[in-house]
Amino acid sequence: MKRFCLLALLLLPALTQAEHGLFVADFEPAQTTRIDWLSDEFDEADSLRHWTRHWQAEGWPTDQLQYLAIEPQTGSGVMVMRPHSSGWWQDYRGELTFQNVPGDFVATVQVRPRNLAGTGAPGSTSGGGIDSEYSLGGIMARAARPDVEADNANWQRGGERYVFLSMGAADVPGSYQFEDKTTRAALPGEPNSYSVRLITDAQASRANLRLARIGEHVIALVQPVEPPGAWRVLRRFRRADFPETLQLGLVAYTDYAIVATCSYEEHNTRVLLSACNNPNVPADPDLLLQVDFFRLRRPAVPGPLAGADLSNPDAVSDAQLLSFLGFDV
């Protein structure tokens, strides 16, 4: 009996892992499996091992981050990201630290974007012209590129599909702004992926960002934290082209003035230390991003809104969305 008990105890961790993989991943439908366990409060330094780096998954030769770590703070911790000059736009690929999430989700992060000195908004260290900065960080939902993951040599322009919501300095250096962006793959005859961005004044130095995926609808919501404010619907997207499982995680990017001097291929395969068209123009990355938590859950859509056209404000109002998406973090 003692030998049996000891054997059972020794096998328990393996059985638990097998049970998780067998019954959750393989047999339960994606819409009902629990995903809250993918949340991260960043209170353990080794939790980075649960995350995947985009550049490694797709076999790129360069890491777009200068620094990535989970650092302790009073009461918990934070993920800290400091990017090289890089960005996400059309076929530029920047930093994405992600987890694979199937089905519908509501993901919430709290972000504090700062300049490298940590004393103010990004872009305020040495400045730059209007529309030159784009030093922001936040949350992204992206369609994987399995062909590129199989062999990076398969990469070609025109294959990006994602939505993100970020905070930092966009077109006005030294200010706090939100940027949301939607990017689709190239259509026949188009030379590259196609991106659309929108910029909104943040009126806060710290905020909660939320992306909700419900069927083909993706809803972006924001809530100021410093100073405090209420949740509001920032943007809605219809993304019927997204696959069942998305890469969901954290982005950080900076210094579009340098990025814009490079071709997609130059940007995607180099650490940018200077302008691609002039080595005498140094790169000027100016973002230190702190992420306080990443929280994930399934959406609880009210019965009357089940199957509704959530990305159409004429069909579903902001107030109706906030009734089930404006919950406290």
Side-chain angles (χ1 to χ4, degrees):
M1 179 65 71
K2 290 181 179 179
R3 181 178 297 176
F4 174 79
C5 292
L6 178 60
L7 180 61
L9 288 172
L10 290 172
L11 289 176
L12 183 57
L15 288 172
T16 301
Q17 292 171 6
E19 179 186 55
H20 172 75
L22 180 65
F23 293 104
V24 173
D26 296 338
F27 286 98
E28 290 189 24
Q31 296 291 352
T32 59
T33 55
R34 287 185 56 188
I35 56 174
D36 56 304
W37 62 275
L38 295 172
S39 301
D40 199 335
E41 297 296 315
F42 305 129
D43 50 4
E44 296 181 6
D46 68 348
S47 70
L48 272 177
R49 62 190 175 89
H50 300 301
W51 294 84
T52 300
R53 301 290 305 284
H54 156 73
W55 74 278
Q56 294 173 325
E58 293 189 0
W60 293 99
T62 55
D63 183 353
Q64 301 285 36
L65 288 186
Q66 302 180 55
Y67 180 78
L68 173 66
I70 293 177
E71 297 183 351
Q73 286 199 349
T74 303
S76 59
V78 295
M79 178 182 281
V80 180
M81 308 174 84
R82 190 171 72 236
H84 291 289
S85 297
S86 56
W88 287 97
W89 174 256
Q90 296 179 345
D91 288 307
Y92 292 127
R93 65 101 195 162
E95 166 61 21
L96 173 61
T97 297
F98 70 91
Q99 303 187 57
N100 291 305
V101 178
D104 294 348
F105 58 76
V106 181
T108 310
V109 298
Q110 186 172 114
V111 295
R112 288 179 282 170
R114 299 289 186 269
N115 59 19
L116 289 183
T119 58
S124 57
T125 299
S126 56
I130 295 294
D131 218 30
S132 68
E133 192 62 34
Y134 294 94
S135 294
L136 307 101
I139 187 167
M140 170 184 275
R142 176 179 182 262
R145 301 184 65 174
D147 58 329
V148 182
E149 292 181 7
D151 187 342
N152 186 261
N154 292 327
W155 183 87
Q156 56 183 341
R157 299 180 180 190
E160 285 298 326
R161 293 179 290 162
Y162 61 78
V163 165
F164 73 60
L165 171 62
S166 59
M167 180 184 178
D171 58 352
V172 181
S175 66
Y176 286 107
Q177 299 171 297
F178 297 121
E179 180 188 19
D180 60 82
K181 186 176 295 176
T182 180
T183 296
R184 60 160 174 80
L187 300 176
E190 292 181 337
N192 48 254
S193 305
Y194 182 77
S195 295
V196 175
R197 62 164 172 81
L198 287 171
I199 298 166
T200 309
D201 288 341
Q203 299 179 341
S205 60
R206 181 175 180 175
N208 295 321
L209 311 179
R210 179 168 287 167
L211 277 185
R213 181 197 189 181
I214 304 169
E216 64 182 29
H217 312 287
V218 178
I219 314 299
L221 307 96
V222 296
Q223 180 189 39
V225 174
E226 293 178 352
W231 280 105
R232 61 188 172 101
V233 176
L234 190 67
R235 209 74 62 202
R236 312 178 192 211
F237 307 95
R238 188 186 304 274
R239 296 305 304 257
D241 60 319
F242 276 172
E244 174 70 13
T245 296
L246 292 173
Q247 296 175 346
L248 181 66
L250 305 165
V251 292
Y253 51 100
T254 183
D255 194 17
Y256 187 73
I258 291 296
V259 171
T261 68
C262 304
S263 69
Y264 301 122
E265 291 78 9
E266 289 172 323
H267 170 274
N268 292 352
T269 57
R270 296 183 187 180
V271 172
L272 300 183
L273 302 179
S274 63
C276 290
N277 59 1
N278 187 348
N280 296 318
V281 178
D284 186 26
D286 193 28
L287 175 65
L288 180 67
L289 179 71
Q290 293 186 340
V291 186
D292 290 83
F293 55 74
F294 172 87
R295 295 175 183 169
L296 197 59
R297 61 187 284 181
R298 295 290 187 200
V301 181
L305 295 180
D309 188 358
L310 301 180
S311 51
N312 181 0
D314 292 329
V316 179
S317 68
D318 285 358
Q320 287 175 298
L321 289 178
L322 290 170
S323 71
F324 69 99
L325 293 177
F327 56 86
D328 292 338
V329 296

